[in-house]
mmCIF file of all heavy atoms in Angstrom:
data_model
loop_
_atom_site.group_PDB
_atom_site.id
_atom_site.type_symbol
_atom_site.label_atom_id
_atom_site.label_comp_id
_atom_site.label_asym_id
_atom_site.label_seq_id
_atom_site.Cartn_x
_atom_site.Cartn_y
_atom_site.Cartn_z
ATOM 1 N N ARG A 1 -11.370 12.356 -1.970
ATOM 2 C CA ARG A 1 -10.908 13.560 -2.438
ATOM 3 C C ARG A 1 -9.224 13.631 -2.035
ATOM 4 O O ARG A 1 -8.497 14.080 -2.962
ATOM 5 C CB ARG A 1 -11.586 14.690 -1.722
ATOM 6 C CG ARG A 1 -10.924 16.148 -1.957
ATOM 7 C CD ARG A 1 -11.811 17.254 -1.254
ATOM 8 N NE ARG A 1 -11.525 18.583 -1.680
ATOM 9 C CZ ARG A 1 -10.417 19.110 -1.004
ATOM 10 N NH1 ARG A 1 -9.816 18.624 0.017
ATOM 11 N NH2 ARG A 1 -10.080 20.498 -1.325
ATOM 12 N N THR A 2 -8.925 13.290 -0.769
ATOM 13 C CA THR A 2 -7.659 13.424 -0.407
ATOM 14 C C THR A 2 -6.633 12.420 -1.208
ATOM 15 O O THR A 2 -5.551 12.890 -1.601
ATOM 16 C CB THR A 2 -7.480 13.070 1.161
ATOM 17 O OG1 THR A 2 -8.315 13.949 1.780
ATOM 18 C CG2 THR A 2 -6.004 13.140 1.729
ATOM 19 N N GLU A 3 -7.119 11.230 -1.435
ATOM 20 C CA GLU A 3 -6.361 10.228 -2.096
ATOM 21 C C GLU A 3 -6.475 10.331 -3.571
ATOM 22 O O GLU A 3 -5.876 9.536 -4.307
ATOM 23 C CB GLU A 3 -6.622 8.821 -1.586
ATOM 24 C CG GLU A 3 -6.453 8.606 -0.091
ATOM 25 C CD GLU A 3 -4.979 8.726 0.314
ATOM 26 O OE1 GLU A 3 -4.117 8.381 -0.516
ATOM 27 O OE2 GLU A 3 -4.581 9.193 1.379
ATOM 28 N N ARG A 4 -7.359 11.159 -4.156
ATOM 29 C CA ARG A 4 -7.629 11.227 -5.587
ATOM 30 C C ARG A 4 -8.141 9.941 -6.091
ATOM 31 O O ARG A 4 -7.604 9.496 -7.211
ATOM 32 C CB ARG A 4 -6.593 11.805 -6.278
ATOM 33 C CG ARG A 4 -5.894 13.103 -5.686
ATOM 34 C CD ARG A 4 -6.806 14.231 -5.459
ATOM 35 N NE ARG A 4 -7.358 14.846 -6.577
ATOM 36 C CZ ARG A 4 -8.433 15.647 -6.601
ATOM 37 N NH1 ARG A 4 -8.908 16.127 -5.454
ATOM 38 N NH2 ARG A 4 -8.915 16.229 -7.730
ATOM 39 N N ILE A 5 -9.017 9.210 -5.422
ATOM 40 C CA ILE A 5 -9.524 7.946 -5.734
ATOM 41 C C ILE A 5 -10.594 8.121 -6.817
ATOM 42 O O ILE A 5 -11.690 8.759 -6.457
ATOM 43 C CB ILE A 5 -9.958 7.196 -4.588
ATOM 44 C CG1 ILE A 5 -8.789 6.891 -3.713
ATOM 45 C CG2 ILE A 5 -10.634 5.800 -5.047
ATOM 46 C CD1 ILE A 5 -9.192 6.294 -2.345
ATOM 47 N N THR A 6 -10.423 7.549 -8.015
ATOM 48 C CA THR A 6 -11.528 7.543 -9.020
ATOM 49 C C THR A 6 -11.908 6.286 -9.511
ATOM 50 O O THR A 6 -12.836 6.138 -10.207
ATOM 51 C CB THR A 6 -11.067 8.479 -10.229
ATOM 52 O OG1 THR A 6 -9.787 8.017 -10.693
ATOM 53 C CG2 THR A 6 -10.854 9.948 -9.763
ATOM 54 N N ARG A 7 -10.976 5.216 -9.365
ATOM 55 C CA ARG A 7 -11.227 3.998 -9.993
ATOM 56 C C ARG A 7 -12.432 3.250 -9.215
ATOM 57 O O ARG A 7 -12.433 3.266 -7.988
ATOM 58 C CB ARG A 7 -9.957 2.989 -9.829
ATOM 59 C CG ARG A 7 -9.949 1.801 -10.629
ATOM 60 C CD ARG A 7 -8.511 1.192 -10.761
ATOM 61 N NE ARG A 7 -7.804 1.466 -9.474
ATOM 62 C CZ ARG A 7 -7.744 0.572 -8.540
ATOM 63 N NH1 ARG A 7 -8.335 -0.640 -8.478
ATOM 64 N NH2 ARG A 7 -6.884 0.834 -7.520
ATOM 65 N N ALA A 8 -13.346 2.597 -9.968
ATOM 66 C CA ALA A 8 -14.671 2.229 -9.402
ATOM 67 C C ALA A 8 -14.358 1.193 -8.346
ATOM 68 O O ALA A 8 -15.052 1.275 -7.164
ATOM 69 C CB ALA A 8 -15.473 1.550 -10.593
ATOM 70 N N SER A 9 -13.442 0.127 -8.453
ATOM 71 C CA SER A 9 -13.285 -0.885 -7.543
ATOM 72 C C SER A 9 -12.683 -0.166 -6.123
ATOM 73 O O SER A 9 -12.941 -0.677 -5.127
ATOM 74 C CB SER A 9 -12.304 -1.928 -8.094
ATOM 75 O OG SER A 9 -11.087 -1.353 -8.372
ATOM 76 N N ALA A 10 -11.828 0.734 -6.372
ATOM 77 C CA ALA A 10 -11.298 1.506 -5.155
ATOM 78 C C ALA A 10 -12.329 2.274 -4.560
ATOM 79 O O ALA A 10 -12.341 2.268 -3.129
ATOM 80 C CB ALA A 10 -10.117 2.466 -5.665
ATOM 81 N N ILE A 11 -13.111 2.950 -5.126
ATOM 82 C CA ILE A 11 -14.326 3.678 -4.457
ATOM 83 C C ILE A 11 -15.104 2.554 -3.720
ATOM 84 O O ILE A 11 -15.502 2.700 -2.599
ATOM 85 C CB ILE A 11 -15.197 4.403 -5.538
ATOM 86 C CG1 ILE A 11 -14.349 5.444 -6.121
ATOM 87 C CG2 ILE A 11 -16.337 4.975 -4.901
ATOM 88 C CD1 ILE A 11 -14.894 6.202 -7.348
ATOM 89 N N ASP A 12 -15.521 1.565 -4.387
ATOM 90 C CA ASP A 12 -16.254 0.438 -3.758
ATOM 91 C C ASP A 12 -15.632 -0.128 -2.434
ATOM 92 O O ASP A 12 -16.387 -0.211 -1.446
ATOM 93 C CB ASP A 12 -16.487 -0.690 -4.682
ATOM 94 C CG ASP A 12 -17.538 -0.293 -5.836
ATOM 95 O OD1 ASP A 12 -18.262 0.595 -5.696
ATOM 96 O OD2 ASP A 12 -17.457 -1.082 -6.825
ATOM 97 N N HIS A 13 -14.322 -0.167 -2.458
ATOM 98 C CA HIS A 13 -13.515 -0.625 -1.328
ATOM 99 C C HIS A 13 -13.683 0.327 -0.282
ATOM 100 O O HIS A 13 -13.895 -0.074 0.918
ATOM 101 C CB HIS A 13 -12.175 -0.758 -1.665
ATOM 102 C CG HIS A 13 -11.298 -1.066 -0.424
ATOM 103 N ND1 HIS A 13 -11.269 -2.403 0.238
ATOM 104 C CD2 HIS A 13 -10.378 -0.425 0.296
ATOM 105 C CE1 HIS A 13 -10.517 -2.359 1.283
ATOM 106 N NE2 HIS A 13 -9.869 -1.155 1.257
ATOM 107 N N GLU A 14 -13.635 1.572 -0.551
ATOM 108 C CA GLU A 14 -13.810 2.801 0.539
ATOM 109 C C GLU A 14 -15.251 2.653 1.119
ATOM 110 O O GLU A 14 -15.253 2.762 2.347
ATOM 111 C CB GLU A 14 -13.400 4.075 0.122
ATOM 112 C CG GLU A 14 -11.959 4.280 -0.368
ATOM 113 C CD GLU A 14 -11.022 4.054 0.760
ATOM 114 O OE1 GLU A 14 -11.342 4.419 1.922
ATOM 115 O OE2 GLU A 14 -9.932 3.489 0.496
ATOM 116 N N ILE A 15 -16.209 2.430 0.308
ATOM 117 C CA ILE A 15 -17.552 2.506 0.804
ATOM 118 C C ILE A 15 -17.764 1.164 1.747
ATOM 119 O O ILE A 15 -18.393 1.420 2.767
ATOM 120 C CB ILE A 15 -18.525 2.428 -0.328
ATOM 121 C CG1 ILE A 15 -18.490 3.539 -1.254
ATOM 122 C CG2 ILE A 15 -20.018 2.096 0.053
ATOM 123 C CD1 ILE A 15 -19.214 3.613 -2.561
ATOM 124 N N GLU A 16 -17.291 0.158 1.289
ATOM 125 C CA GLU A 16 -17.325 -1.112 2.076
ATOM 126 C C GLU A 16 -16.763 -0.950 3.511
ATOM 127 O O GLU A 16 -17.192 -1.258 4.544
ATOM 128 C CB GLU A 16 -16.728 -2.318 1.425
ATOM 129 C CG GLU A 16 -16.836 -3.675 2.090
ATOM 130 C CD GLU A 16 -16.265 -4.636 1.404
ATOM 131 O OE1 GLU A 16 -15.890 -4.693 0.156
ATOM 132 O OE2 GLU A 16 -16.151 -5.818 1.953
ATOM 133 N N THR A 17 -15.513 -0.374 3.377
ATOM 134 C CA THR A 17 -14.805 -0.139 4.599
ATOM 135 C C THR A 17 -15.468 0.779 5.651
ATOM 136 O O THR A 17 -15.602 0.361 6.817
ATOM 137 C CB THR A 17 -13.369 0.513 4.297
ATOM 138 O OG1 THR A 17 -12.602 -0.488 3.530
ATOM 139 C CG2 THR A 17 -12.508 0.772 5.463
ATOM 140 N N TYR A 18 -15.942 2.024 5.152
ATOM 141 C CA TYR A 18 -16.448 2.910 6.099
ATOM 142 C C TYR A 18 -17.945 2.543 6.458
ATOM 143 O O TYR A 18 -18.355 2.950 7.526
ATOM 144 C CB TYR A 18 -16.562 4.330 5.433
ATOM 145 C CG TYR A 18 -15.167 4.908 5.408
ATOM 146 C CD1 TYR A 18 -14.353 4.938 4.489
ATOM 147 C CD2 TYR A 18 -14.840 5.535 6.743
ATOM 148 C CE1 TYR A 18 -12.891 5.451 4.641
ATOM 149 C CE2 TYR A 18 -13.507 6.050 6.906
ATOM 150 C CZ TYR A 18 -12.628 6.074 5.809
ATOM 151 O OH TYR A 18 -11.309 6.750 5.983
ATOM 152 N N ASN A 19 -18.601 1.680 5.584
ATOM 153 C CA ASN A 19 -19.869 1.221 5.943
ATOM 154 C C ASN A 19 -19.868 0.379 7.199
ATOM 155 O O ASN A 19 -20.888 0.271 7.922
ATOM 156 C CB ASN A 19 -20.603 0.414 4.965
ATOM 157 C CG ASN A 19 -21.479 1.215 4.005
ATOM 158 O OD1 ASN A 19 -22.014 2.315 4.395
ATOM 159 N ND2 ASN A 19 -21.631 0.769 2.692
ATOM 160 N N GLU A 20 -18.704 -0.215 7.592
ATOM 161 C CA GLU A 20 -18.679 -0.937 8.930
ATOM 162 C C GLU A 20 -18.776 -0.113 10.087
ATOM 163 O O GLU A 20 -19.179 -0.550 11.148
ATOM 164 C CB GLU A 20 -17.169 -1.614 8.896
ATOM 165 C CG GLU A 20 -16.891 -2.629 7.912
ATOM 166 C CD GLU A 20 -15.592 -3.291 8.091
ATOM 167 O OE1 GLU A 20 -14.769 -3.049 9.219
ATOM 168 O OE2 GLU A 20 -14.991 -3.786 7.186
ATOM 169 N N LEU A 21 -18.705 1.169 9.940
ATOM 170 C CA LEU A 21 -18.875 2.134 11.043
ATOM 171 C C LEU A 21 -20.437 2.430 11.347
ATOM 172 O O LEU A 21 -20.631 2.915 12.396
ATOM 173 C CB LEU A 21 -18.168 3.546 10.684
ATOM 174 C CG LEU A 21 -16.744 3.393 10.562
ATOM 175 C CD1 LEU A 21 -16.213 4.953 10.357
ATOM 176 C CD2 LEU A 21 -15.966 2.749 11.665
ATOM 177 N N LEU A 22 -21.232 2.042 10.525
ATOM 178 C CA LEU A 22 -22.599 2.375 10.615
ATOM 179 C C LEU A 22 -23.126 1.304 11.462
ATOM 180 O O LEU A 22 -22.966 0.109 11.444
ATOM 181 C CB LEU A 22 -23.400 2.324 9.232
ATOM 182 C CG LEU A 22 -23.075 3.456 8.357
ATOM 183 C CD1 LEU A 22 -23.746 3.284 7.013
ATOM 184 C CD2 LEU A 22 -23.508 4.812 8.992
ATOM 185 N N PRO A 23 -24.075 1.761 12.520
ATOM 186 C CA PRO A 23 -24.712 0.820 13.462
ATOM 187 C C PRO A 23 -25.820 -0.073 12.636
ATOM 188 O O PRO A 23 -26.444 0.554 11.796
ATOM 189 C CB PRO A 23 -25.141 1.704 14.504
ATOM 190 C CG PRO A 23 -25.482 2.997 13.843
ATOM 191 C CD PRO A 23 -24.339 3.202 12.879
ATOM 192 N N ASP A 24 -26.026 -1.236 13.220
ATOM 193 C CA ASP A 24 -27.133 -2.108 12.772
ATOM 194 C C ASP A 24 -28.225 -2.133 13.826
ATOM 195 O O ASP A 24 -27.895 -2.370 14.971
ATOM 196 C CB ASP A 24 -26.588 -3.508 12.421
ATOM 197 C CG ASP A 24 -25.662 -3.536 11.349
ATOM 198 O OD1 ASP A 24 -25.822 -2.873 10.290
ATOM 199 O OD2 ASP A 24 -24.677 -4.358 11.361
ATOM 200 N N GLY A 25 -29.391 -2.048 13.383
ATOM 201 C CA GLY A 25 -30.520 -2.387 14.303
ATOM 202 C C GLY A 25 -30.383 -1.602 15.683
ATOM 203 O O GLY A 25 -30.311 -0.436 15.631
ATOM 204 N N ASN A 26 -30.481 -2.260 16.673
ATOM 205 C CA ASN A 26 -30.395 -1.836 18.010
ATOM 206 C C ASN A 26 -28.860 -1.687 18.492
ATOM 207 O O ASN A 26 -28.423 -2.418 19.433
ATOM 208 C CB ASN A 26 -31.110 -2.776 19.056
ATOM 209 C CG ASN A 26 -32.589 -2.641 18.832
ATOM 210 O OD1 ASN A 26 -33.128 -1.699 18.272
ATOM 211 N ND2 ASN A 26 -33.273 -3.667 19.366
ATOM 212 N N GLU A 27 -28.253 -0.749 17.776
ATOM 213 C CA GLU A 27 -26.746 -0.579 17.928
ATOM 214 C C GLU A 27 -26.440 0.827 17.827
ATOM 215 O O GLU A 27 -26.954 1.535 17.078
ATOM 216 C CB GLU A 27 -26.053 -1.413 16.815
ATOM 217 C CG GLU A 27 -24.710 -1.756 17.071
ATOM 218 C CD GLU A 27 -24.079 -2.767 16.089
ATOM 219 O OE1 GLU A 27 -24.239 -2.402 14.832
ATOM 220 O OE2 GLU A 27 -23.661 -3.783 16.311
ATOM 221 N N LEU A 28 -25.364 1.261 18.533
ATOM 222 C CA LEU A 28 -24.790 2.663 18.348
ATOM 223 C C LEU A 28 -23.369 2.335 17.946
ATOM 224 O O LEU A 28 -22.688 1.392 18.316
ATOM 225 C CB LEU A 28 -24.953 3.429 19.577
ATOM 226 C CG LEU A 28 -26.405 3.831 19.989
ATOM 227 C CD1 LEU A 28 -26.191 4.456 21.488
ATOM 228 C CD2 LEU A 28 -26.990 4.681 19.086
ATOM 229 N N SER A 29 -22.802 3.372 17.178
ATOM 230 C CA SER A 29 -21.480 3.254 16.785
ATOM 231 C C SER A 29 -20.611 4.542 17.055
ATOM 232 O O SER A 29 -21.200 5.598 16.878
ATOM 233 C CB SER A 29 -21.445 2.927 15.266
ATOM 234 O OG SER A 29 -20.237 2.860 14.661
ATOM 235 N N CYS A 30 -19.269 4.486 17.357
ATOM 236 C CA CYS A 30 -18.614 5.723 17.585
ATOM 237 C C CYS A 30 -17.164 5.404 17.192
ATOM 238 O O CYS A 30 -16.627 4.286 17.197
ATOM 239 C CB CYS A 30 -18.583 6.179 18.971
ATOM 240 S SG CYS A 30 -17.665 5.242 20.174
ATOM 241 N N THR A 31 -16.473 6.587 16.900
ATOM 242 C CA THR A 31 -15.172 6.630 16.670
ATOM 243 C C THR A 31 -14.541 7.320 17.920
ATOM 244 O O THR A 31 -14.822 8.474 18.275
ATOM 245 C CB THR A 31 -14.724 7.361 15.464
ATOM 246 O OG1 THR A 31 -15.297 6.736 14.306
ATOM 247 C CG2 THR A 31 -13.204 7.437 15.236
ATOM 248 N N LEU A 32 -13.597 6.670 18.621
ATOM 249 C CA LEU A 32 -12.903 7.143 19.790
ATOM 250 C C LEU A 32 -11.486 7.504 19.573
ATOM 251 O O LEU A 32 -10.694 6.621 18.945
ATOM 252 C CB LEU A 32 -13.126 6.064 20.937
ATOM 253 C CG LEU A 32 -12.549 6.494 22.230
ATOM 254 C CD1 LEU A 32 -13.388 5.846 23.480
ATOM 255 C CD2 LEU A 32 -11.000 5.979 22.491
ATOM 256 N N MET A 33 -11.067 8.655 19.869
ATOM 257 C CA MET A 33 -9.830 9.223 19.545
ATOM 258 C C MET A 33 -9.054 9.498 20.880
ATOM 259 O O MET A 33 -9.582 10.345 21.680
ATOM 260 C CB MET A 33 -9.881 10.471 18.788
ATOM 261 C CG MET A 33 -10.564 10.083 17.423
ATOM 262 S SD MET A 33 -11.535 11.519 16.681
ATOM 263 C CE MET A 33 -12.996 11.414 17.619
ATOM 264 N N ILE A 34 -7.829 9.040 20.936
ATOM 265 C CA ILE A 34 -6.928 9.443 22.030
ATOM 266 C C ILE A 34 -6.067 10.644 21.424
ATOM 267 O O ILE A 34 -5.463 10.602 20.396
ATOM 268 C CB ILE A 34 -5.901 8.256 22.355
ATOM 269 C CG1 ILE A 34 -6.832 7.168 23.001
ATOM 270 C CG2 ILE A 34 -4.803 8.671 23.400
ATOM 271 C CD1 ILE A 34 -6.074 5.843 23.157
ATOM 272 N N GLU A 35 -6.188 11.716 22.134
ATOM 273 C CA GLU A 35 -5.726 13.055 21.616
ATOM 274 C C GLU A 35 -4.712 13.593 22.542
ATOM 275 O O GLU A 35 -4.921 14.298 23.618
ATOM 276 C CB GLU A 35 -6.940 14.028 21.468
ATOM 277 C CG GLU A 35 -7.948 13.507 20.548
ATOM 278 C CD GLU A 35 -9.247 14.312 20.699
ATOM 279 O OE1 GLU A 35 -9.599 14.659 21.847
ATOM 280 O OE2 GLU A 35 -9.915 14.470 19.615
ATOM 281 N N ILE A 36 -3.378 13.268 22.291
ATOM 282 C CA ILE A 36 -2.277 13.821 23.071
ATOM 283 C C ILE A 36 -1.322 14.338 21.894
ATOM 284 O O ILE A 36 -0.823 13.665 21.126
ATOM 285 C CB ILE A 36 -1.628 12.717 23.828
ATOM 286 C CG1 ILE A 36 -2.434 12.091 24.927
ATOM 287 C CG2 ILE A 36 -0.259 13.278 24.561
ATOM 288 C CD1 ILE A 36 -1.951 10.856 25.647
ATOM 289 N N ALA A 37 -1.166 15.722 21.975
ATOM 290 C CA ALA A 37 -0.466 16.436 20.924
ATOM 291 C C ALA A 37 1.072 16.000 20.905
ATOM 292 O O ALA A 37 1.413 15.806 19.675
ATOM 293 C CB ALA A 37 -0.597 17.868 21.035
ATOM 294 N N GLU A 38 1.734 15.939 22.012
ATOM 295 C CA GLU A 38 3.235 15.729 21.934
ATOM 296 C C GLU A 38 3.454 14.133 21.708
ATOM 297 O O GLU A 38 2.822 13.424 22.353
ATOM 298 C CB GLU A 38 3.725 16.209 23.134
ATOM 299 C CG GLU A 38 3.637 17.727 23.306
ATOM 300 C CD GLU A 38 4.313 18.325 24.591
ATOM 301 O OE1 GLU A 38 5.143 17.475 25.172
ATOM 302 O OE2 GLU A 38 4.004 19.462 24.965
ATOM 303 N N LYS A 39 4.395 13.946 20.830
ATOM 304 C CA LYS A 39 4.777 12.548 20.427
ATOM 305 C C LYS A 39 5.118 11.677 21.589
ATOM 306 O O LYS A 39 4.633 10.614 21.727
ATOM 307 C CB LYS A 39 5.679 12.635 19.346
ATOM 308 C CG LYS A 39 6.124 11.351 18.691
ATOM 309 C CD LYS A 39 7.046 11.172 17.588
ATOM 310 C CE LYS A 39 7.375 9.800 17.236
ATOM 311 N NZ LYS A 39 8.253 9.722 16.042
ATOM 312 N N GLU A 40 6.063 12.185 22.350
ATOM 313 C CA GLU A 40 6.738 11.234 23.378
ATOM 314 C C GLU A 40 5.576 10.890 24.408
ATOM 315 O O GLU A 40 5.468 9.663 24.720
ATOM 316 C CB GLU A 40 7.854 11.977 24.054
ATOM 317 C CG GLU A 40 8.768 11.026 24.746
ATOM 318 C CD GLU A 40 10.106 11.633 25.268
ATOM 319 O OE1 GLU A 40 10.837 12.196 24.301
ATOM 320 O OE2 GLU A 40 10.249 11.562 26.448
ATOM 321 N N PRO A 41 4.817 11.829 25.004
ATOM 322 C CA PRO A 41 3.806 11.449 25.881
ATOM 323 C C PRO A 41 2.714 10.554 25.353
ATOM 324 O O PRO A 41 2.217 9.622 25.879
ATOM 325 C CB PRO A 41 3.272 12.703 26.379
ATOM 326 C CG PRO A 41 4.315 13.718 26.104
ATOM 327 C CD PRO A 41 5.066 13.269 24.994
ATOM 328 N N ARG A 42 2.388 10.841 24.091
ATOM 329 C CA ARG A 42 1.406 10.076 23.334
ATOM 330 C C ARG A 42 1.942 8.583 23.058
ATOM 331 O O ARG A 42 1.114 7.665 23.443
ATOM 332 C CB ARG A 42 1.150 10.712 22.007
ATOM 333 C CG ARG A 42 0.065 9.852 21.232
ATOM 334 C CD ARG A 42 -0.261 10.504 19.980
ATOM 335 N NE ARG A 42 0.741 10.487 18.923
ATOM 336 C CZ ARG A 42 1.470 11.645 18.449
ATOM 337 N NH1 ARG A 42 1.068 12.881 19.058
ATOM 338 N NH2 ARG A 42 2.386 11.591 17.653
ATOM 339 N N GLU A 43 3.204 8.395 22.735
ATOM 340 C CA GLU A 43 3.685 7.111 22.582
ATOM 341 C C GLU A 43 3.677 6.376 23.888
ATOM 342 O O GLU A 43 3.439 5.154 23.921
ATOM 343 C CB GLU A 43 5.008 7.107 21.895
ATOM 344 C CG GLU A 43 5.088 7.625 20.469
ATOM 345 C CD GLU A 43 4.234 6.749 19.642
ATOM 346 O OE1 GLU A 43 4.397 5.483 19.542
ATOM 347 O OE2 GLU A 43 3.456 7.187 18.851
ATOM 348 N N ARG A 44 4.111 7.005 24.951
ATOM 349 C CA ARG A 44 4.127 6.337 26.214
ATOM 350 C C ARG A 44 2.833 5.860 26.732
ATOM 351 O O ARG A 44 2.592 4.787 27.039
ATOM 352 C CB ARG A 44 4.766 7.371 27.234
ATOM 353 C CG ARG A 44 4.917 6.717 28.625
ATOM 354 C CD ARG A 44 5.752 7.517 29.552
ATOM 355 N NE ARG A 44 5.154 8.803 29.801
ATOM 356 C CZ ARG A 44 5.629 10.058 29.279
ATOM 357 N NH1 ARG A 44 6.865 9.957 28.557
ATOM 358 N NH2 ARG A 44 5.122 11.159 29.495
#
């Protein structure tokens, strides 16, 4: 939606990329985020 992607090959690429986040079998998966609002402390 954000990138207005409609081409089939580009959609397939996004599906393949994000499917990597799904866990397999006896596995868990997470996205970990470092959340520091101010740019200078975050970069440091």
